[in-house]
Amino acid sequence: MTTATLDGRAARRCHNALNSLHSTHYFSPDLGREVGALGITDPRAVNFAVRAAALGPVGAGTVAATFYNYKYELVARHVPAVWATAGPDQVLAARARAVDATLRRLLGEEAVASAEMAEAARLALRAAEGCSRSARPLYSAHADLPVPEEPHLAYWHAATLLREHRGDGHLAALMAAGLDGLEALVTHTATGKGMAPKWVFSTRGWTREEWDAATARLRDRGLLDGSGELTERGVALREEIERETDRLDAAPYAHLGEKDVARLTELAAVFARTALGAGAFPADLLGKR
């Protein structure tokens, strides 16, 4: 199957379901407990450490570049100092323990040990075989990590690979669209599918004044209206960004094939709904205000 024969919307649906389960660990008390035991207790330092650990003991510049929408000054407050507290290998091991505990808690032991979980892991890992390392630093770094033996951890690992592969391509699409990191956040929030501003301020390091300045820039470009909603041009730009991201992320799902993409989406959606129902995410995480 060529990359042109798979509907990009089908691949996006599959990604969204996979990413939902991957993202649960960022909000899990298990992560704070495991990484906190290493001496890393600030939630933002935990976030930088666990996502960047696959890159090695990198500095603030690398993290800011690969994460894209975090304020550099916030990153520099914690990186590279965090590596003096715990090395990347220690952080990766702590993350694995946290993910194990989180998935068992959110999904239940029966689902973790199920044939469906093993099937989902096989399918997701096969899709990841179609990923490309070129210009994808976060994906490529995670692809160097060993695949866990237990199916639920292998599934999470594969979801991470697919999430970072799409994410690296998404950054290229944002840059091509002329959106800096904060502008990308503002426009995503304006779609109603992004983080509420309070979460942007607390996790990304931006201030209300900087948010308002970015909003003004976007308004001057005709992408937002006076109330902060997307204009027709703004909606079109966000849709084009997603289409370009789909195009850059087509290979793993084309490699898996239409039938198996549908099956993986079905399995992943069940796991994601279960996690959501178990309170995996804060109730006020998403929203325009």
Side-chain angles (χ1 to χ4, degrees), residues 49-99:
V50 297
R51 192 171 176 217
L55 295 165
V58 296
T62 299
V63 172
T66 53
F67 287 22
Y68 196 74
N69 59 27
Y70 289 73
K71 188 175 181 179
Y72 174 79
E73 288 78 8
L74 174 63
V75 178
R77 194 179 307 160
H78 300 286
V79 180
V82 68
W83 308 126
T85 302
D89 287 345
Q90 292 175 287
V91 171
L92 288 171
R95 180 178 69 170
R97 293 191 296 271
V99 168

Side-chain angles (χ1 to χ4, degrees), residues 69-138:
N69 59 27
Y70 289 73
K71 188 175 181 179
Y72 174 79
E73 288 78 8
L74 174 63
V75 178
R77 194 179 307 160
H78 300 286
V79 180
V82 68
W83 308 126
T85 302
D89 287 345
Q90 292 175 287
V91 171
L92 288 171
R95 180 178 69 170
R97 293 191 296 271
V99 168
D100 179 47
T102 298
L103 294 184
R104 292 180 186 277
R105 176 171 51 81
L106 294 177
L107 302 181
E109 296 291 341
E110 183 176 346
V112 163
S114 67
E116 288 79 8
M117 179 62 75
E119 180 185 5
R122 289 193 300 270
L123 292 172
L125 287 169
R126 193 191 314 156
E129 293 173 357
C131 293
S132 168
R133 290 180 180 270
S134 300
R136 288 181 165 90
L138 273 174

Side-chain angles (χ1 to χ4, degrees), residues 143-220:
D144 283 344
L145 301 178
V147 178
E149 292 185 7
E150 293 184 82
H152 67 295
L153 296 181
Y155 173 68
W156 184 87
H157 173 75
T160 301
L161 296 180
L162 293 165
R163 177 256 176 84
E164 299 297 7
H165 186 270
R166 183 177 180 88
D168 286 337
H170 186 60
L171 301 192
L174 290 171
M175 289 188 66
L179 296 179
D180 64 26
L182 181 52
E183 292 165 351
L185 288 169
V186 172
T187 55
H188 191 210
T189 295
T191 68
K193 300 177 181 179
M195 287 192 301
K198 62 176 267 186
W199 282 93
V200 173
F201 304 150
S202 64
T203 64
R204 267 54 175 174
W206 303 104
T207 65
R208 168 60 71 178
E209 292 73 22
E210 290 166 327
W211 178 276
D212 291 343
T215 298
R217 294 196 300 273
L218 294 164
R219 190 179 299 121
D220 290 343

